[in-house]
Amino acid sequence: TMDDGIERIAAVRIETARGLGEIGGRQALEVLGIGLDDRNVTVRKRVVEALRWAGTVFSVPYIQEALRNDRDVGVRLESVRMLRKIGTQFSIQPLVETLTGDRDVSVRLAAADALGEIGKKEIQVAQFLGEAYRQEKDTGVKLEIVGSLGLIRNRSGLPYLREAMLDRNPTVRIRAT
C-alpha cells in the first residue's frame, strides 16, 4: 500500500540520518540540517539525535533551530535531550530560550531539568534559572527550576533559592529549603 511505501522511505531517511551522524563533520551537519524540515516526525527526531553525534559544538545551532521551529512537542523534547547530553556551555543559551519561551509545559520542564544537570559544571546557569523562576507561571515548572537551582556548583543557586523560600505556593517554598 501507499502507507507502507511511505513508511519504508521514512525508514531509509532515518538510516541516512544515523549514518550521517556517525560520519560527522560540517557537510554531514548541513545535510542533516535539511532533514529538520522532513514531514515525518520520527525522521525529525532521529535527525536531531544524529546531529548530536555529528559534531557537538557545531550541531547546537541546528538543534536550536528544531527547538524554535518544530511544531511537534516530541521533536522539541528530543532536542532538549540532545542539548542535555552535549552538556556544555554551548547548550545553555538554547535551553534558557526554551525554558523561558516554549509554550509547552513538558518542554519547559525538560529544559529546566537539563539546565540543572549542566549547572553541576557551569555555574552561570544559576542566574538564568533564577530569572526563569521569576517569570514562570506554572507551578510544576517552578518546582523543577527550584530543584535545578539546588544542583548548581558552588551553591551558586542559593540567592535564588532564598527568593523561592518566599514563594506564594507552599510546595515551592518547601522545595526551596
Side-chain angles (χ1 to χ4, degrees), residues 1-162:
T1 64
M2 182 74 178
D3 282 349
D4 290 342
I6 290 168
E7 281 308 303
R8 258 201 308 282
I9 295 165
V12 169
R13 294 199 305 275
I14 288 166
E15 282 309 309
T16 304
R18 196 168 286 141
L20 284 165
E22 287 168 12
I23 294 165
R26 282 268 167 87
Q27 284 168 316
L29 285 172
E30 283 169 21
V31 178
L32 283 166
I34 296 165
L36 292 174
D37 294 327
D38 199 280
R39 65 187 177 278
N40 183 295
V41 171
T42 309
V43 173
R44 296 199 308 272
K45 283 185 197 166
R46 296 296 70 87
V47 164
V48 167
E49 189 178 28
L51 279 164
R52 176 205 165 199
W53 294 111
T56 45
V57 175
F58 298 113
S59 67
V60 170
Y62 292 99
I63 297 172
Q64 182 167 22
E65 190 186 319
L67 266 176
R68 284 177 177 163
N69 302 327
D70 206 293
R71 289 183 309 279
D72 186 82
V73 170
V75 174
R76 298 201 309 276
L77 282 169
E78 186 70 14
S79 301
V80 169
R81 267 190 48 222
M82 291 307 117
L83 288 171
R84 179 195 179 121
K85 286 188 169 174
I86 290 170
T88 64
Q89 69 205 41
F90 300 104
S91 297
I92 296 171
Q93 192 269 327
L95 286 169
V96 169
E97 186 181 298
T98 303
L99 174 58
T100 55
D102 200 279
R103 60 197 173 278
D104 190 274
V105 169
S106 64
V107 178
R108 294 202 310 276
L109 275 168
D113 176 60
L115 283 164
E117 194 55 42
I118 294 167
K120 292 175 180 176
K121 298 189 298 284
E122 306 284 346
I123 59 174
Q124 73 268 34
V125 167
Q127 176 196 339
F128 297 121
L129 283 170
E131 288 163 15
Y133 163 81
R134 288 180 184 142
Q135 70 160 63
E136 182 56 57
K137 303 279 184 276
D138 183 89
T139 303
V141 178
K142 269 188 155 181
L143 287 167
E144 193 65 52
I145 291 170
V146 168
S148 288
L149 280 164
L151 297 174
I152 297 184
R153 201 163 67 85
N154 298 349
R155 298 166 70 186
S156 306
L158 271 180
Y160 305 102
L161 288 171
R162 286 199 193 94

